[in-house]
Amino acid sequence: MGAQKSIHAGRAKIDVNVDFTHKLCTSLMFPAFRDTSSPLSLVIGSLCIKHPNLFGGSEKLDVSWDKGLYDSNVLVAFRRPRPEWRPQQCFFIQHSLSPEIGVHGTPVDNFSRSGSGGVNLSKLAVGLDLSEPASSKWSSTTSVKFEHVRPINDDGRAITRDLDGFPITCSGNTHDSMVVLKQESRFAKATDQGLSHFSMQIEQGIPVVSKWLIFNRFKFVASKGVRFGPAFLLASLTGGSIVGDMAPYQAFAIGGLGSVRGYGEGAVGSGRSCLVANTELALPLNKMTEGTIFLDCGTDLGSSRLVPGNPSMRQGKPGFGYGFGYGLRFKSPLGHLQVDYAINAFNQKTLYFGVTNLASST
């Protein structure tokens, strides 16, 4: 069920988008071990409110709320108009609640799925984004934010330790606090013969208060696509590392859709460092359908033992894994449907479904 409404207030036009769905099927990603007796627990949806002229000077206010089966996200963003040659400012407040599956999740069915480890993260962030004017094919964004992270269990109660009795937070208390300075640079180039993409993120924890986290986190993604007649080959490499203070939930989680297919989220491993390679070859079957074959592999580079409490070793994760398989891509005016059939190193088979670019109802 979706709805879109425009409200005129003076000269301003406020756009309101609402989309709610009562989900009758069970989740494919997590076992049904949670209480779903409340009708609201089976409702997923989104609400978006946009005001293009909040104070009469073209200030933009965006308010969005997204709810999944087990997660939610609320974002309030305020943008002030500035000349195009100056960095664009965005003030934001964000609160999210989601299961922490990648690090504390428990692998099942030969690592093809990850069940809940009873850890959820409630995050509150307040900050400022500065987007630099695009130069040629490069763009960059700088942000600074205060972040408050509070682990809770499935009943919503604050916790400090996981099911094995190891600390979840870096501070050892019920929460972690940090001020993070982030710099992200992106390069993108596309032609009829292929595409190139590179992005790099650097995060620095700033010691405003002695008990707040001090760390440096680095991540990059490099992709290259080449067309061979009707076929298209896409290869990508993702890597990262973190040094300094860290809580277990900050580790790089390897495995799952978008990482190493054939494994559950984080089922390959979690470490202070990671390296993931993906290769996919697509061939058109007709105007609306493509067939693909793919190969994914990932490793924690032996860094899982450096994560506090070593959750990866305690859960028996291998630290290295690969998956291969084939899939179909369907294109339609209503959206794109993706189906992948993956086999991991333990010969366990997994089927993935994905839908993107859905047209909203009006």
Side-chain angles (χ1 to χ4, degrees):
M1 178 179 64
Q4 181 175 354
K5 185 176 183 180
S6 296
I7 302 174
H8 294 268
R11 295 183 178 180
K13 179 182 178 183
I14 306 173
D15 292 327
V16 180
N17 292 280
V18 183
D19 184 13
F20 287 104
T21 303
H22 190 273
K23 194 173 183 65
L24 299 177
C25 64
T26 58
S27 171
L28 297 177
M29 298 301 296
F30 311 111
F33 46 73
R34 298 194 179 203
D35 179 19
T36 57
S37 58
S38 171
L40 291 178
S41 65
L42 296 178
V43 173
I44 62 175
S46 62
L47 169 66
C48 181
I49 302 174
K50 296 178 179 291
H51 196 303
N53 192 22
L54 187 61
F55 299 120
S58 298
E59 301 89 350
K60 294 179 173 60
L61 176 67
D62 296 338
V63 180
S64 63
W65 173 66
D66 297 285
K67 182 188 178 299
L69 283 176
Y70 307 125
D71 60 340
S72 65
N73 183 74
V74 179
L75 175 63
V76 179
F78 174 74
R79 297 174 176 84
R80 298 170 57 184
R82 306 190 79 188
E84 293 184 359
W85 53 270
R86 297 188 63 185
Q88 301 302 303
Q89 295 181 346
C90 175
F91 299 90
F92 65 89
I93 301 175
Q94 183 176 18
H95 179 267
S96 64
L97 176 63
S98 61
E100 204 301 287
I101 301 294
V103 176
H104 292 98
T106 304
V108 294
D109 293 343
N110 285 331
F111 302 93
S112 64
R113 294 190 297 116
S114 295
S116 172
V119 178
N120 304 270
L121 297 180
S122 174
K123 296 182 179 181
L124 174 65
V126 180
L128 170 67
D129 281 339
L130 292 174
S131 299
E132 298 288 341
S135 174
S136 182
K137 299 175 178 63
W138 284 92
S139 62
S140 64
T141 302
T142 302
S143 65
V144 59
K145 67 178 178 178
F146 166 78
E147 190 171 44
H148 179 89
V149 183
R150 187 169 67 98
I152 59 177
N153 62 15
D154 292 339
D155 297 325
R157 298 174 182 172
I159 54 177
T160 60
R161 297 182 178 274
D162 60 21
L163 297 179
D164 295 328
F166 287 83
I168 301 175
T169 60
C170 180
S171 65
N173 300 321
T174 57
H175 66 272
D176 284 328
S177 298
M178 63 199 85
V179 171
V180 181
L181 178 64
K182 178 180 177 180
Q183 172 70 41
E184 181 175 5
S185 299
R186 296 171 298 275
F187 171 84
K189 178 182 178 181
T191 65
D192 293 338
Q193 300 303 315
L195 61 85
S196 299
H197 176 269
F198 178 78
S199 67
M200 180 176 61
Q201 299 177 3
I202 298 177
E203 294 181 334
Q204 177 67 56
I206 302 174
V208 177
V209 177
S210 60
K211 294 183 179 181
W212 290 4
L213 275 62
I214 308 173
F215 62 90
N216 185 276
R217 181 185 176 99
F218 167 79
K219 181 180 179 180
F220 73 89
V221 180
S223 302
K224 179 67 176 179
V226 180
R227 187 171 299 280
F228 299 97
F232 189 79
L233 177 65
L234 179 65
S236 65
L237 184 67
T238 303
S241 185
I242 180 172
V243 295
D245 299 334
M246 73 171 294
Y249 56 78
Q250 291 180 299
F252 292 95
I254 308 163
L257 190 63
S259 177
V260 182
R261 284 165 285 190
Y263 291 82
E265 183 181 352
V268 173
S270 55
R272 278 186 176 262
S273 302
C274 75
L275 199 62
V276 176
N278 310 95
T279 305
E280 183 168 295
L281 178 65
L283 287 166
L285 303 180
N286 54 50
K287 291 183 178 180
M288 306 296 291
T289 309
E290 286 184 343
T292 64
I293 56 175
F294 60 84
L295 172 64
D296 303 332
C297 60
T299 174
D300 62 15
L301 300 173
S303 63
S304 63
R305 58 185 176 83
L306 302 177
V307 177
N310 201 347
S312 184
M313 183 198 70
R314 288 188 279 118
Q315 295 153 4
K317 297 179 181 179
F320 171 81
Y322 63 87
F324 61 92
Y326 53 88
L328 292 173
R329 309 288 184 264
F330 303 95
K331 299 179 182 179
S332 74
L334 296 179
H336 295 180
L337 173 64
Q338 174 179 333
V339 181
D340 285 332
Y341 181 79
I343 305 173
N344 67 15
F346 299 92
N347 203 34
Q348 186 70 37
K349 303 172 181 65
T350 306
L351 190 63
Y352 297 96
F353 294 92
V355 181
T356 58
N357 300 329
L358 281 177
S360 58
S361 302
T362 57

